[in-house]
Amino acid sequence: MTPAAGRDPRLLVLAWDRTQPRTRALGPALGGDSRHIYGGWPGRHRGLLPVRYVADAARMWRRLRQERPDVLVVISPPVIAPLVAWLWSALHPCRLVVDCHTGALHWPKWGWTRPLHRLLFRRAHAVLVQTEEDEARLRAWGTPVVLLPDDLPDPSEADPGPPGRGVPRVVVAGSFDWNEPVAAALAAAALVPEVEFRLTGDVSRLPRSVRAGAPANVVFTGYLPYAQFLGELLTVDVVAVFSTDPHIMNRAAFEAVGLGRPLVLSDLPGLRARFGEGAVLCPNDAASMAEAIRLAQRDRDILAERSRALRRRLQAQREAALAQLQSMVRSRQVPAAGARVRSHP
């Protein structure tokens, strides 16, 4: 399972999604390429999901036949993607790595896939995770696991953001997922009328009554392409990211830190461990959110410097994890089951 003599291994990262910033950055960081599988037929209707999985599996197989990777990194969820990747690696000289996002192990809709994931992970050369909690779980399963923090975007990746209006502004970064306390964030905005609250995400995912009842200082930006989203973060005084999911590792928090922005987060164990030294943390109730945003607005220069310091630490952790992963996938030996790979003390 090694590449032909005289050439470097061909590495490919694959995700079944329109786009994922973590996935897009991972391929080049490992000296390879990233691809997203997101086809047209048979459409996105929920009732057609089984048919779409079959279609996406066929698209993925065609892509693998075209690119013939020596190392294949596949993102889960959905679990069908690593199942296809495992079959490919069983039939071809290819090493399998799974990048297991937190939703694969913790979101209720993927609960039925945990036995499948456990079986797949035992057949993978390595499994990437985002949190210490998941690292401990997979190690207990006998999985060769690497804790890999997300990439940290640079301001050069951002498009110019909207011009300021002479009032303090905060971006509440999200996508209106089920685990975002949107109602509490809107209630917090009503408590801080002097601050403009800019909520990102596809507003069609919100009930019309929620949009209609938003305070006057709330702006719904709609879905923003990634470079435009980063530009939005650069133009505001504070970036806030709220979630009720106790297992989450917020992508937008990495983006705020990468851009050196003052950060407010929900006070959840994983987020406190990863970002606590640089962020203001608060419970998910309106009064606490409003107070945290006032505090971050007041101390924004101090918090911006803390974000820059945290960026340096997280970048060092990521580089160490990437180096270890590269060593693992280029090694002739598969790591022993349960091997532990850490990117930090």
Side-chain angles (χ1 to χ4, degrees), residues 148-207:
L148 178 67
D150 277 25
D151 59 293
L152 297 147
D154 186 88
S156 65
E157 300 175 44
D159 283 345
R165 299 196 310 174
V167 298
R169 298 196 300 174
V170 56
V171 159
V172 180
S175 53
F176 302 130
D177 277 338
W178 61 271
N179 55 8
E180 295 175 25
V182 177
L186 294 177
L191 297 175
V192 196
E194 70 277 12
V195 175
E196 180 179 279
F197 277 60
R198 300 177 63 82
L199 276 67
T200 67
D202 181 358
V203 293
S204 68
R205 304 182 71 179
L206 281 180

Side-chain angles (χ1 to χ4, degrees), residues 253-340:
F254 285 95
E255 289 154 347
V257 169
L259 299 174
R261 309 310 298 151
L263 179 61
V264 174
L265 287 173
S266 297
D267 192 0
L268 300 171
L271 299 181
R272 175 177 286 276
R274 186 66 52 84
F275 301 105
E277 67 188 65
V280 177
L281 297 113
C282 66
N284 284 320
D285 63 86
S288 298
M289 290 174 174
E291 181 59 30
I293 287 168
R294 289 193 191 97
L295 177 62
Q297 176 72 26
R298 186 194 70 192
D299 296 339
R300 58 186 180 275
D301 292 338
I302 296 172
L303 288 169
E305 179 54 40
R306 289 180 182 174
S307 276
R308 289 188 287 270
L310 182 56
R311 174 192 171 92
R312 292 189 288 272
R313 183 173 69 81
L314 291 177
Q315 186 63 34
Q317 292 177 8
R318 176 174 170 81
E319 289 173 359
L322 289 171
Q324 183 62 58
L325 178 61
Q326 288 175 322
S327 176
M328 290 169 67
V329 298
R330 283 163 172 75
S331 169
R332 291 179 179 271
Q333 295 182 347
V334 175
R340 185 184 191 191

Side-chain angles (χ1 to χ4, degrees), residues 89-313:
S89 66
L91 298 174
H92 300 83
C94 178
R95 297 180 180 186
L96 174 62
V97 177
V98 180
D99 186 10
C100 182
H101 293 191
T102 56
L105 297 177
H106 300 289
W107 283 16
K109 73 174 184 177
W110 298 116
W112 65 274
T113 70
R114 288 188 196 115
L116 277 175
H117 277 106
R118 187 167 183 171
L119 184 65
L120 283 167
F121 292 165
R122 287 185 173 273
R123 287 155 175 77
H125 200 78
V127 177
L128 311 180
V129 294
Q130 297 173 293
T131 68
E132 286 85 353
E133 176 188 13
D134 288 350
E135 180 195 27
R137 172 183 286 206
L138 267 62
R139 191 171 64 251
W141 286 0
T143 301
V145 58
V146 179
L147 175 60
L148 178 67
D150 277 25
D151 59 293
L152 297 147
D154 186 88
S156 65
E157 300 175 44
D159 283 345
R165 299 196 310 174
V167 298
R169 298 196 300 174
V170 56
V171 159
V172 180
S175 53
F176 302 130
D177 277 338
W178 61 271
N179 55 8
E180 295 175 25
V182 177
L186 294 177
L191 297 175
V192 196
E194 70 277 12
V195 175
E196 180 179 279
F197 277 60
R198 300 177 63 82
L199 276 67
T200 67
D202 181 358
V203 293
S204 68
R205 304 182 71 179
L206 281 180
R208 186 171 300 177
S209 59
V210 172
R211 286 178 276 162
N217 60 326
V218 168
V219 175
F220 293 103
T221 69
Y223 170 80
L224 300 174
Y226 191 60
Q228 190 176 341
F229 172 74
L230 296 181
E232 184 80 29
L233 301 191
L234 278 173
T235 65
V236 297
D237 300 286
V238 175
V239 176
V241 191
F242 300 122
S243 178
T244 61
D245 181 354
H247 311 288
I248 200 167
M249 187 52 60
N250 287 117
R251 168 70 193 184
F254 285 95
E255 289 154 347
V257 169
L259 299 174
R261 309 310 298 151
L263 179 61
V264 174
L265 287 173
S266 297
D267 192 0
L268 300 171
L271 299 181
R272 175 177 286 276
R274 186 66 52 84
F275 301 105
E277 67 188 65
V280 177
L281 297 113
C282 66
N284 284 320
D285 63 86
S288 298
M289 290 174 174
E291 181 59 30
I293 287 168
R294 289 193 191 97
L295 177 62
Q297 176 72 26
R298 186 194 70 192
D299 296 339
R300 58 186 180 275
D301 292 338
I302 296 172
L303 288 169
E305 179 54 40
R306 289 180 182 174
S307 276
R308 289 188 287 270
L310 182 56
R311 174 192 171 92
R312 292 189 288 272
R313 183 173 69 81

Side-chain angles (χ1 to χ4, degrees), residues 43-56:
R44 312 304 295 179
H45 190 279
R46 187 180 299 273
L48 296 174
L49 185 62
V51 180
R52 190 170 80 237
Y53 279 168
V54 172
D56 285 346

